[in-house]
């Protein structure tokens, strides 16, 4: 019914206005002709993500790597928006994991992102697997291209190569732009854990992530 649709549209507009006024973007907005990269450090606040045997928290590793990548990208004239810039949940209020993930994808759509790159640290039960793995939005050739661009500098920095893998992660699927999850290493593997504990190593990984993004954007 037309009247129902009109009310639904008005409701949607009001909701969008409320949302934008309550949740301003955390960094630079899109400018004409300038790419805008959304960097998404996984977890945060009440959600630590994976935890190393030493007590190292994934959320801290992810954030420092994303911040390092952001600095390099902004230094090269690329716009960057972060889904979080501190140890906090992405959205205020009670923490619900699905809403938290949706919020990250929604931010990418709202700011008009060129691409979305989520940063995570991996875990698996055997403790034997090491090295970075880039997952890409399974239905998106551009996401696959972005994943390959990231895999090169990450593999050469770390010295371990895993080919990119397709995934149906909620954040990637709902972002509606080329989107990848970079798993920077395994908190369950002793050597990866030792390296990811080091701030200098996180800076290097952040640089590698930025190099891959710049290559994808044709700004090598
Ligand atoms: Zn994670």
């Amino acid at each position: 019914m037309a009247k129902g649709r009109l009310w639904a549209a008005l409701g949607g507009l009001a909701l969008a206005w409320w949302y934008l006024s309550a949740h301003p973007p955390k960094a630079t907005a899109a400018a004409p002709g300038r790419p805008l990269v959304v960097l998404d450090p996984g977890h945060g606040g009440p959600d630590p993500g994976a935890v190393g045997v030493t007590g190292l928290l994934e959320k801290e590793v992810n954030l420092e790597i994303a911040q390092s990548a952001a600095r390099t990208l902004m230094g090269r004239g690329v716009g960057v928006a972060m889904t979080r810039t501190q140890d906090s949940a992405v959205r205020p209020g009670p923490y619900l994991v699905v809403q938290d993930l949706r919020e990250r994808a929604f931010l990418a759509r709202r700011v008009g992102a060129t691409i979305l790159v989520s940063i995570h640290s991996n875990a698996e039960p055997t403790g034997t697997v090491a090295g970075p793995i880039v997952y890409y939005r399974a239905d998106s050739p551009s996401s696959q291209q972005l994943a390959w661009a990231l895999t090169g500098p990450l593999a050469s920095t770390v010295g371990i190569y895993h080919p990119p893998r397709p995934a149906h992660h909620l954040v990637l699927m709902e972002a509606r732009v080329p989107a990848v999850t970079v798993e920077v290493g395994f908190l369950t593997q002793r050597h990866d854990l030792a390296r990811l504990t080091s701030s200098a190593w996180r800076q290097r990984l952040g640089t590698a992530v930025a190099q891959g993004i710049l290559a994808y954007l044709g700004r090598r």
Side-chain angles (χ1 to χ4, degrees):
M1 197 169 108
K3 204 172 170 187
R5 278 205 301 276
L6 175 66
W7 280 113
L10 286 172
L13 278 174
L15 192 65
W17 173 83
W18 166 81
Y19 194 88
L20 285 168
S21 48
H23 302 77
K26 292 205 170 63
T28 50
R34 186 170 73 149
L36 177 62
V37 174
V38 168
L39 292 176
D40 172 38
H43 313 281
D47 172 16
V51 181
V53 287
T54 55
L56 182 67
L57 304 178
E58 183 194 341
K59 63 180 182 177
E60 292 172 8
V61 175
N62 301 341
L63 180 59
E64 192 172 353
I65 292 170
Q67 284 171 328
S68 162
R71 274 192 298 276
T72 303
L73 290 170
M74 288 192 276
R76 296 290 300 275
V78 174
V80 174
M82 307 268 295
T83 55
R84 66 180 177 98
T85 55
Q86 54 191 348
D87 180 15
S88 62
V90 167
R91 68 196 297 280
Y95 181 79
L96 295 164
V97 68
V98 172
Q99 285 185 5
D100 176 84
L101 295 172
R102 288 227 153 94
E103 176 64 26
R104 295 165 195 260
F106 182 60
L107 182 130
R109 305 204 300 271
R110 177 158 51 91
V111 299
T114 312
I115 58 172
L116 176 139
V117 176
S118 276
I119 310 282
H120 283 258
S121 311
N122 229 332
E124 58 85 42
T126 71
T128 58
V129 186
I133 304 174
V134 184
Y135 294 84
Y136 58 90
R137 210 183 92 193
D139 63 346
S140 160
S142 304
S143 302
Q144 190 175 9
Q145 215 183 322
L146 173 59
W148 279 107
L150 282 155
T151 295
L154 281 165
S156 59
T157 297
V158 178
I160 300 172
Y161 166 73
H162 295 285
R165 297 179 187 175
H168 292 86
H169 301 162
L170 185 70
V171 175
L172 306 186
M173 301 308 287
E174 295 204 355
R176 297 185 205 152
V177 293
V180 296
T181 299
V182 177
E183 295 278 2
V184 294
F186 284 80
L187 295 188
T188 43
Q189 200 274 342
R190 204 196 310 181
H191 188 52
D192 272 10
L193 176 62
R195 291 208 281 198
L196 289 167
T197 303
S198 149
S199 183
W201 180 247
R202 296 176 196 168
Q203 304 295 322
R204 283 184 63 186
L205 287 177
T207 304
V209 167
Q211 283 169 346
I213 291 170
L214 290 166
Y216 174 82
L217 295 173
R219 295 190 166 214
R220 209 193 301 253

